[in-house]
Amino acid sequence: MVDWKQYENTSTLELIELIQHKEDPLHAEAAFWVFTFRFTTFVAKQSEILCGRMGYDHHFAGEVVKSVFSKFWQYPKYDHNKSKHKDVNKGVCLYLYHFIYKCIIDQINNLNGKGISPYSGDEQIIKDLPTDFKPKNDREAIIWNAVGTFSYKHKIIYLTYKAHSIKDHKLPRHLLAQLRDELGITQSTIRFYYNEVMNKINEHLALWERQD
């Protein structure tokens, strides 16, 4: 266990660099606690002000504070070269202020049942159809014949999207990461392959419908 006190006098930029590079998670976590202590007063005060303006109490603001630092731990992308302030701490405060506003909106949406993911986190990529799979009708047979003309990678992408896609929701990040790792391709290539399969399916269906 790393004692966070060893980083008490470390500059803010050095703390952020340690948090960004989580190859050494114990030191990253120790640096994160120092970062949190350093900016909690600012985040708490601004959260109270913004939440109060929107009609929410200090309990709501307290949850926002937790969310802000949790989000920063996940996305510590502060770049002082892009800041409007010469002073690093003021630049970080402005950066965190944007997190505060977003976390308030996210929390309000959660209270109203909006923005809640329909995914459980247990979703897995689909590599093949069940061995006993049989098309239910001619339309489904046409679709799977079209899919069969594509590569192994195309097929996995299509099967995974078909199994897990939910209207108005993107596939969860962990599932997209699984696809990227399994297939060794980028997210843009995944989208390109998926669109290729869908275009081919639509072509096959259009031909089949004209024949009817």
Side-chain angles (χ1 to χ4, degrees), residues 78-87 90-91 94 98:
Y78 178 76
D79 181 352
H80 192 60
N81 293 322
K82 298 178 181 178
S83 176
K84 296 179 181 179
H85 292 283
K86 290 183 179 179
D87 182 87
K90 288 182 179 179
L94 179 60
H98 296 303

Side-chain angles (χ1 to χ4, degrees), residues 77-207:
K77 297 182 179 179
Y78 178 76
D79 181 352
H80 192 60
N81 293 322
K82 298 178 181 178
S83 176
K84 296 179 181 179
H85 292 283
K86 290 183 179 179
D87 182 87
V88 172
N89 285 353
K90 288 182 179 179
V92 171
C93 284
L94 179 60
Y95 186 77
L96 291 174
Y97 186 85
H98 296 303
F99 275 43
I100 294 168
Y101 186 77
K102 187 176 188 313
C103 287
I104 290 174
I105 299 303
D106 287 346
Q107 199 158 305
I108 291 172
N109 285 338
N110 286 338
L111 285 175
N112 295 328
K114 297 178 181 178
I116 300 174
S117 175
Y119 295 104
S120 67
D122 297 325
E123 293 80 13
Q124 298 291 321
I125 61 175
I126 309 298
K127 296 183 179 181
D128 211 341
L129 290 167
T131 54
D132 59 350
F133 172 79
K134 291 182 180 180
K136 296 177 183 177
N137 49 49
D138 289 344
R139 180 182 177 85
E140 196 169 85
I142 294 295
I143 291 173
W144 292 115
N145 284 338
V147 174
T149 66
F150 280 95
S151 71
Y152 172 74
K153 291 183 179 182
H154 285 82
K155 187 177 180 181
I156 288 180
I157 291 167
Y158 176 76
L159 288 172
T160 300
Y161 269 85
K162 181 173 176 59
H164 300 298
S165 288
I166 297 174
K167 186 179 180 181
D168 299 326
H169 290 276
K170 295 180 180 179
L171 289 188
R173 291 181 180 179
H174 77 274
L175 191 59
L176 294 174
Q178 284 182 35
L179 279 173
R180 292 193 297 271
D181 292 344
E182 174 72 24
L183 304 178
I185 57 179
T186 64
Q187 192 59 46
S188 60
T189 303
I190 288 173
R191 287 194 295 269
F192 179 77
Y193 280 13
Y194 179 71
N195 288 332
E196 279 192 318
V197 177
M198 292 306 300
N199 288 337
K200 181 62 68 175
I201 287 172
N202 290 332
E203 287 177 12
H204 280 232
L205 287 174
L207 286 172

